[in-house]
Amino acid sequence: MIEVGSPDAVASWKQVEKEMKQMYMDDMRQLAKIQEQEEKEHGEREFVYADPKPIFSFEEVSIAPQARLIQGRVVLPKSVDVSARQAQGQAFWKSERLAKQDAAFEAYVALYRAGLVNDNLLPLVAYDEEALKAYSEVEKRPGLVFAKQQLSPWPALAVARNSGSLLHQTIISFPSQESVMPQLRLISPFRLLWTKQVTLYPNSHSSVQVEIDHQAETAYYGDVVTSENATRLLLLSIFHGRMDRDRTGFPLLFNPVLEIQDLEDWLTGASGTRPTSTLLGHSETGTAVGIIRDLCENGTPYIFHGIEYRNPRDSKYFLEQEAAAIAEVEEPFLKVKKLPKRADFLHPVPSNISMSANAKAFICLPLSTSTTDNLPFAYAQLAMFIPSIMHTVENTLVTDHLCDGLLAPVQFQDRQLVSTATTAAAACEAYNYQELEFLGDCCLKLFTSINIMSEHLNWHEGYLSHQKDHIVSNGRLALAAQETGLDQYIRTKPFTGYRWQPLYVEDLLKEKFDGLRELSTKTLADVVEALLGAAFVDGGQPKVLSCLSIFLPEVPWRPLEDCRTTLLSATTPEEYSHFPAHLEHLESLANYVFINKSLLVEAVTHPSHLGPDPTPSYDRLEFCGDSVLDFIITTRIFRHSSSLTTPRMHLLRTAVVNANFLAFTCMDHCLFVCQKSLPTNRNGTEFSNPDARIPLAIWHFMRHSHTLELMAAQEKCHARFVELQPTIAEALAHGDTFPWTLLTSFDAEKYFSDLIESIIAAIYIDSAGSLPACERFLSALGILPYLDRVLGENLHVMHPKEELGILAGNDKVTYELIEKLDESGAKTMRSGYDIRLSVGEKELLVELGARTRIEGETKAAEKAVRLLKEKRAELLESKEEEMEMPRKGEMADTGEEDFRDRNDDDETMEDEEGWATPRENMDDDENESTPTS
C-alpha cells in the first residue's frame, strides 16, 4: 500500500501509473499481434458476428402534461444464460442515457449474481490469474525441462538378492524351426508378470517366439551357488571380455532346466575347453559342439559346421584365400564361420543389410591351432540372448512398479498397454506411445468438455473453451507428469546390446541412480494422454475416469452418464409441448427422433436469434459436439487397422473433421418436401406453388435474426455451394485425394459446421450418451462412409501446403501477397488475391485472382506439388537411363571386377547379420550357397 502524505507517495503513484500503462500497452500489442495473425490467415474476409450487441429498450411514463420519465430495459445475447439475459432499471429517469446506464448496471448485477463476472464486474477469464498462467504455459512453455532419471529396477533387485529373499523361477522356451534350443530357467527375487510375448531375431530370415511357462512360475529352492556358477559359465562363453571371471553375484540367474544334481553334473562337464582333435571320430555335430576358438588369433570365436578331410582347394565352401593359406598342411580342417558380434536380438535385421559373400562362405582352421568349448553351442546361443531377455525383464519390472503404485487405482489388466504408453520413440523399441496418445487425446477432450459443461451450466462457450484449454494444455499435463512422479517411468534410452555388460549385486548396491535428465514437455504430456488411451482400451470410460483423477485431481471428474443426466435436466422440455411441425423434417435429416425436443431447437438457434423464448443459442452444444465428433472419428480410425502410422491417423482425422467438409455435408444432405408444408413468411399464411417439391437441408432450419448481413452471407455461400457441389461430390465419391482446394474455395461460414456439431451433441445428450445414435447421423451426412472409403482405399489426404513443405525439404516455402493499387494509388483486393509462391530463392509460380488469401495459397501449393513431382519423376527417369547405358556396353568387361569390390566392402556387414545356424548332419555339397570369389 502507498501511504498518503509520505514523501515518496507521488513517486510511488507515478511508478504505479507507469506500470499500469505498460501493462495496457502490452495488452494492446498482444491484441494487435493477434489481429495481424488473423488477417494473415483470413485476408480481408468479412465475418458475420455471432453475438450482436445488447439491445436496449425504453418505457416512458407521463407524470405531468409536459413531463415524462424513462425506464430502461436490456436484453443480452442468447449466448448468455437465461437467468441473466434480461435486466430492467430500478428507477425512472429524465433521459434515455441515464435509463440505459441504470439498466446496464442491473444487467451487471444479474451477471455477478449468476457468477459470470468477478468482483470487479469483469469477465472471469480476463483477470483469472490461473487461466492466464495456463495460457502462458501453452504459448511459452520451455521445450525441455529437467525430469527424474529413468527408473532402474536393478538396485531393488540387488537389495532383494542381497537380503536372501525368496527366489522365483520362470521357465523360458525358444521354439525354432531351424534348430532345437534347450529351455532356460530364469531365477529372480521378484515374481515377473510377463504380459507380452517376446520375439527374438537371430538373423534376417528367422525369428524366435520366446514362450513363458506361467504354470512354472514357482518358488526356487535350488542351490544358489550352483545356479550362480552356471550363469557365469553361460555368460563367459560370449562375454568373457566384458566381465570378471571370478565374480558371480548376478541380480538374475540363468540355468538350464535340470534337477539340482543334474545341474551340478552339467556344470562340471560344460566347463573348460578341449583340443579340437577330440572331435575326430566322434559323432558330435551342429549345436552339440562348443564354440571353436582360434589360438593364433587370441581365441577368436567361430561356429563349428563340420570337419573337412580333403584339400580345401577342392571344396566350394571355402574362400580361395583361406584355402591357399593352408593348402600345404596335411591334416583335417575345421569348417567354421565367425561368431557375429551382434548382441541386440530384439529388433529385426534391417532389410537393407545383407550378408556378404565372405560372411556366407566357410573358413577353414587347422585342428592343431584351435580348441573347442565344452559348453555346447546351443547354450552359447542362449547366452547371446541374455542381454535381450534382461532388457525385457527391466521393462517388465518398471511397468509392474508403475501399475502397482501410481496407477493402482486404474487396475490395468493388460500391462503391456502401460509399457507401450510409457515408451517414447527415442527408446527404439518395437512399440511406442504414439498411437495410444492419438486415442488418449480425444478421450481427454471428451471428458473435459462434458464435465466442465455439466459443472458450469450457465457458462457460455467462451468460458468453457478457456477452462478446457487450461486443463488439456501440454503445460498442465507435463506438470502433472512431474508432480505425480510419472516422469521416472518414461523410457527414452535405446537398448544397445553391443555395450552390454553383466550386472553385479555388489556394484548395484553402491551405485546411485537418482538425478535428473532433460525431457521434452511434449513428451511428458503425450505420455499422460497415452495412458488415458491405454485405460480406454483396457476398460473403457470407467478406467479413463480413474486415470484422470490421478493426474488432474483438481478437476471434480464425474462419469459421463452423470454429466449427461445433469445436462438433460437443465433443459426445459415442457416449453416445446407444441413442437413446430416443420422441425420434424429436421429429425428426418438427423436420422433421430428426439425425446426432449428443446435440445433440437437449441441445436439450431444461432446466437443472433432474438425470439422471446428462453432457448439458449447452440454455442454450448457446439462446444460439446466438437469433442463427441472428434471421439467418434478418432476411435473409428484407431480400431480400423494396426497398419496405419500415427502421422497417417492425424491426417485422416484432420481431413474428416475439417470445418469446410462439415459445412459441405450440412448443405448437401437434404430431403425433398412439398412446399405447402413450409411457410414462406413469418406469419405462415402465404404459399407459392404449394405442390412444388423443394430440397430442404439442415441449414434451412437455423433460427437467426434475419439481418441483411447474415442472410446475404448465407446466399453467397449457397451460390458457391451450387457452383462447386458437382465437382466436390464427384471428388468425394470417386476421387483419389481429399478435395482440399475445392473445399477451400467453398469457404463456408463457421455456423454451417457449428450446426453439425451442435446436433451431434443434442443427439448425444438426448440418447443417454448413445454413440451409435450419433454415428447414424454422421452416416446419413456421408461423413462416416467417406471415412471408411478413405481407410479402405488408402486415399491421399495430406493438405497441399503440408505436402509442399515436405517436398521442398530444407528449402523454405514462402507465399507472398502481390500488392495491387487502384487508380488513386491505394491498395486494393477488388480483383482477387494474387499469390507468388517461392521455394528457397526460386520463384515457382503465381496464382492469380483467388477470392481469399488462403484459397490462393492452397491452389498455388497444389500446383507446386504437381510441378515438383513431375520434375522429380523426369530426373529419376534420366538417371535410370544414364545407369542403363554403361551396363549394356561395359558389363562384360567390368562386371566381375565390380562384384569383387562390392564383396570386399560388404565384409563390414557380417556382424550386423545374425549367426548362421549350424544344421545337424549337413552334407557338404547340399543346402549351402556357393560363395563368389
Side-chain angles (χ1 to χ4, degrees):
M1 297 293 292
I2 300 174
E3 184 179 351
V4 179
S6 65
D8 299 330
V10 176
S12 299
W13 278 112
K14 288 184 178 180
Q15 180 62 28
V16 171
E17 182 181 18
K18 181 179 178 181
E19 292 175 356
M20 293 178 65
K21 287 182 178 180
Q22 181 64 37
M23 293 173 61
Y24 174 77
M25 294 304 298
D26 289 343
D27 290 342
M28 294 302 296
R29 281 190 288 269
Q30 183 67 18
L31 180 60
K33 183 178 179 181
I34 294 173
Q35 291 175 342
E36 180 183 357
Q37 180 65 22
E38 290 178 347
E39 291 177 0
K40 179 180 179 181
E41 294 178 355
H42 302 288
E44 297 181 359
R45 174 183 173 186
E46 294 182 358
F47 286 90
V48 178
Y49 289 95
D51 277 358
K53 296 179 180 179
I55 298 176
F56 288 90
S57 59
F58 304 95
E59 179 182 355
E60 295 185 1
V61 178
S62 299
I63 58 174
Q66 300 297 328
R68 62 186 180 90
L69 294 178
I70 303 173
Q71 186 181 42
R73 180 186 298 272
V74 62
V75 179
L76 301 182
K78 282 209 167 185
S79 58
V80 179
D81 185 68
V82 65
S83 63
R85 194 178 301 161
Q86 299 186 33
Q88 180 175 306
Q90 295 298 304
F92 289 88
W93 306 86
K94 292 183 179 181
S95 68
E96 287 187 357
R97 183 177 65 84
L98 294 176
K100 183 177 181 180
Q101 291 178 353
D102 186 18
F105 177 77
E106 292 300 325
Y108 270 112
V109 172
L111 291 171
Y112 177 77
R113 290 173 178 170
L116 298 176
V117 294
N118 60 17
D119 292 344
N120 299 316
L121 301 185
L122 294 171
L124 296 180
V125 295
Y127 285 86
D128 186 344
E129 293 183 1
E130 184 179 10
L132 290 176
K133 181 181 178 181
Y135 269 94
S136 177
E137 290 174 348
V138 174
E139 298 297 331
K140 301 179 181 180
R141 66 181 186 275
L144 295 173
V145 294
F146 286 104
K148 294 179 181 178
Q149 282 287 355
Q150 184 173 317
L151 179 66
S152 172
W154 302 117
L157 273 172
V159 172
R161 283 277 287 116
N162 191 56
S163 63
S165 300
L166 178 67
L167 298 177
H168 301 269
Q169 64 176 339
T170 302
I171 305 302
I172 307 176
S173 301
F174 305 87
S176 173
Q177 296 179 354
E178 294 192 352
S179 62
V180 178
M181 297 185 186
Q183 292 180 319
L184 202 61
R185 175 184 283 118
L186 170 60
I187 303 171
S188 167
F190 293 160
R191 187 170 180 267
L192 301 177
L193 301 177
W194 299 84
T195 58
K196 179 179 173 60
Q197 188 178 39
V198 181
T199 302
L200 302 178
Y201 301 91
N203 46 53
S204 59
H205 57 272
S206 65
S207 61
V208 176
Q209 299 292 332
V210 180
E211 295 182 356
I212 311 300
D213 187 356
H214 294 279
Q215 301 297 326
E217 291 178 353
T218 58
Y220 179 72
Y221 299 102
D223 184 6
V224 176
V225 175
T226 302
S227 297
E228 289 180 336
N229 289 329
T231 303
R232 178 180 60 180
L233 177 62
L234 290 173
L235 294 175
L236 280 173
S237 66
I238 301 297
F239 307 104
H240 59 277
R242 308 182 191 179
M243 57 185 294
D244 190 336
R245 288 178 171 270
D246 299 326
R247 301 182 71 180
T248 59
F250 307 106
L252 294 180
L253 304 179
F254 296 88
N255 293 175
V257 181
L258 300 171
E259 298 297 331
I260 298 177
Q261 185 58 47
D262 294 336
L263 180 61
E264 294 176 352
D265 296 339
W266 174 88
L267 183 60
T268 302
S271 300
T273 63
R274 67 182 190 272
T276 52
S277 59
T278 59
L279 298 176
L280 295 174
H282 290 271
S283 59
E284 293 177 304
T285 59
T287 56
V289 179
I291 291 178
I292 304 297
R293 303 191 183 275
D294 188 357
L295 300 180
C296 295
E297 297 182 359
N298 297 321
T300 301
Y302 292 89
I303 305 173
F304 176 77
H305 281 270
I307 298 178
E308 186 75 11
Y309 290 92
R310 52 186 169 175
N311 192 309
R313 284 187 178 275
D314 300 328
S315 175
K316 65 180 179 180
Y317 297 114
F318 296 93
L319 293 176
E320 288 187 0
Q321 57 267 34
E322 293 288 343
I326 59 173
E328 305 302 327
V329 181
E330 298 294 336
E331 66 172 297
F333 302 98
L334 296 174
K335 186 169 63 176
V336 297
K337 290 184 179 180
K338 277 189 176 182
L339 182 72
K341 298 178 182 179
R342 180 167 170 255
D344 175 10
F345 298 97
L346 291 173
H347 301 90
V349 178
S351 57
N352 61 335
I353 296 180
S354 59
M355 292 181 65
S356 65
N358 288 356
K360 292 179 180 178
F362 291 107
I363 296 175
C364 48
L365 291 178
L367 273 70
S368 58
T369 60
S370 58
T371 61
T372 178
D373 291 353
N374 289 326
L375 177 71
F377 182 70
Y379 287 102
Q381 284 182 322
L382 299 186
M384 296 179 75
F385 289 155
I386 286 179
S388 299
I389 295 174
M390 289 189 65
H391 178 71
T392 304
V393 170
E394 178 180 352
N395 290 346
T396 301
L397 291 174
V398 172
T399 300
D400 290 344
H401 192 275
L402 176 59
C403 291
D404 296 334
L406 177 63
L407 299 180
V410 185
Q411 298 181 349
F412 275 98
Q413 297 298 315
D414 185 358
R415 296 194 172 193
Q416 178 57 34
L417 289 170
V418 178
S419 180
T420 301
T422 53
T423 302
C428 299
E429 298 285 354
Y431 49 85
N432 59 62
Y433 64 66
Q434 292 180 351
E435 289 187 11
L436 288 175
E437 182 271 331
F438 174 76
L439 178 64
D441 174 72
C442 75
C443 292
L444 175 62
K445 184 178 178 181
L446 178 69
F447 271 80
T448 302
S449 298
I450 296 180
N451 267 269
I452 63 176
M453 187 178 174
S454 64
E455 181 186 1
H456 305 285
L457 295 173
N458 62 349
W459 276 17
H460 58 73
E461 186 269 341
Y463 282 1
L464 295 175
S465 295
H466 217 284
Q467 182 71 3
K468 185 198 74 172
D469 291 344
H470 164 50
I471 295 174
V472 306
S473 69
N474 278 358
R476 178 64 190 97
L477 296 180
L479 185 61
Q482 293 181 283
E483 289 175 340
T484 58
L486 176 65
D487 50 346
Q488 64 183 321
Y489 297 100
I490 300 175
R491 288 193 288 275
T492 57
K493 295 180 180 178
F495 171 61
T496 51
Y498 68 92
R499 294 181 179 178
W500 185 87
Q501 292 181 342
L503 301 175
Y504 297 98
V505 171
E506 182 181 359
D507 297 338
L508 292 170
L509 293 175
K510 297 177 182 178
E511 289 188 26
K512 294 182 179 181
F513 288 88
D514 55 348
L516 298 176
R517 57 173 169 165
E518 282 191 330
L519 275 184
S520 164
T521 52
K522 186 178 186 306
T523 297
L524 292 166
D526 285 349
V527 170
V528 174
E529 292 179 334
L531 285 172
L532 294 175
F536 180 77
V537 174
D538 192 66
Q541 296 182 5
K543 291 196 174 183
V544 175
L545 194 66
S546 299
C547 206
L548 284 169
S549 301
I550 294 172
F551 294 109
L552 299 170
E554 71 275 12
V555 180
W557 300 104
R558 296 195 301 158
L560 295 185
E561 176 58 27
D562 293 350
C563 296
R564 189 205 64 83
T565 302
T566 300
L567 293 172
L568 187 61
S569 63
T571 60
T572 53
E574 65 279 358
E575 297 185 6
Y576 287 94
S577 57
H578 301 290
F579 187 58
H582 70 279
L583 289 184
E584 294 178 358
H585 298 307
L586 181 56
E587 288 184 314
S588 298
L589 289 169
N591 201 16
Y592 178 80
V593 178
F594 281 82
I595 300 173
N596 189 329
K597 307 295 185 181
S598 64
L599 278 169
L600 180 58
V601 177
E602 179 181 346
V604 294
T605 302
H606 189 266
S608 66
H609 186 257
L610 301 176
D613 62 86
T615 305
S617 67
Y618 60 57
D619 285 340
R620 282 171 54 87
L621 287 178
E622 181 269 327
F623 169 80
C624 174
D626 175 70
S627 60
V628 176
L629 172 63
D630 189 74
F631 182 80
I632 292 174
I633 298 301
T634 300
T635 52
R636 199 178 188 91
I637 295 173
F638 182 84
R639 291 168 175 165
H640 170 71
S641 172
S642 58
S643 62
L644 292 175
T645 63
T646 306
R648 171 72 174 170
M649 290 181 174
H650 283 282
L651 290 174
L652 289 171
R653 181 173 63 184
T654 301
V656 176
V657 302
N658 174 260
N660 281 322
F661 178 54
L662 297 180
F664 177 81
T665 63
C666 179
M667 303 189 77
D668 191 54
H669 177 50
C670 61
L671 52 85
F672 290 85
V673 298
C674 292
Q675 189 169 345
K676 63 183 179 182
S677 64
L678 299 174
T680 58
N681 65 1
R682 295 186 179 183
N683 298 325
T685 58
E686 298 178 5
F687 301 93
S688 60
N689 192 10
D691 295 327
R693 296 181 64 83
I694 62 172
L696 202 59
I698 293 175
W699 68 279
H700 289 114
F701 295 90
M702 188 176 75
R703 306 165 73 220
H704 54 83
S705 61
H706 292 84
T707 62
L708 294 177
E709 185 183 20
L710 193 149
M711 295 179 67
Q714 282 186 325
E715 292 176 359
K716 290 180 181 178
C717 186
H718 184 257
R720 294 195 299 273
F721 169 78
V722 172
E723 177 187 355
L724 297 171
Q725 191 277 339
T727 311
I728 295 178
E730 174 66 20
L732 294 176
H734 306 290
D736 56 2
T737 61
F738 186 76
W740 283 109
T741 304
L742 291 171
L743 290 172
T744 303
S745 300
F746 174 45
D747 192 31
E749 303 291 337
K750 183 177 181 296
Y751 47 73
F752 288 101
S753 60
D754 288 348
L755 287 172
I756 299 298
E757 293 175 338
S758 62
I759 293 175
I760 291 173
I763 295 174
Y764 179 81
I765 296 172
D766 188 70
S767 65
S770 172
L771 292 177
C774 300
E775 289 173 348
R776 285 192 291 272
F777 172 50
L778 293 175
S779 295
L781 291 170
I783 295 175
L784 293 186
Y786 180 71
L787 174 60
D788 293 339
R789 178 173 174 257
V790 172
L791 291 169
E793 301 179 21
N794 195 28
L795 303 185
H796 186 71
V797 296
M798 185 178 291
H799 194 282
K801 295 180 69 174
E802 184 176 356
E803 187 174 7
L804 178 59
I806 295 175
L807 290 174
N810 295 328
D811 292 331
K812 183 180 179 181
V813 179
T814 57
Y815 302 89
E816 180 186 355
L817 180 63
I818 301 176
E819 296 183 353
K820 292 181 289 187
L821 306 178
D822 59 14
E823 297 177 356
S824 63
K827 295 181 181 180
T828 180
M829 292 295 170
R830 291 180 181 177
S831 58
Y833 289 80
D834 296 345
I835 303 296
R836 178 183 292 110
L837 189 152
S838 301
V839 176
E841 301 296 329
K842 181 180 180 181
E843 178 183 326
L844 203 60
L845 55 88
V846 174
E847 178 65 29
L848 302 175
R851 194 178 65 85
T852 62
R853 178 167 184 167
I854 187 64
E855 178 188 359
E857 292 179 357
T858 305
K859 285 183 175 181
E862 184 179 55
K863 293 179 180 179
V865 167
R866 190 182 307 115
L867 183 62
L868 290 180
K869 285 184 175 180
E870 292 174 355
K871 289 184 177 180
R872 180 169 295 183
E874 293 174 358
L875 181 62
L876 182 61
E877 184 178 354
S878 63
K879 285 186 177 180
E880 290 178 351
E881 292 177 353
E882 292 175 1
M883 293 177 64
E884 286 294 330
M885 292 180 62
R887 286 181 183 176
K888 295 178 181 179
E890 304 175 13
M891 181 65 73
D893 297 331
T894 62
E896 185 176 352
E897 181 181 354
D898 291 343
F899 184 72
R900 283 199 301 269
D901 293 342
R902 287 195 298 271
N903 283 340
D904 293 339
D905 293 339
D906 286 344
E907 280 192 65
T908 58
M909 308 301 287
E910 65 175 346
D911 287 341
E912 301 299 329
E913 178 69 20
W915 67 74
T917 304
R919 305 194 182 194
E920 303 292 344
N921 301 319
M922 180 170 53
D923 188 271
D924 286 350
D925 297 325
E926 297 179 358
N927 302 322
E928 288 294 327
S929 59
T930 303
T932 302
S933 59

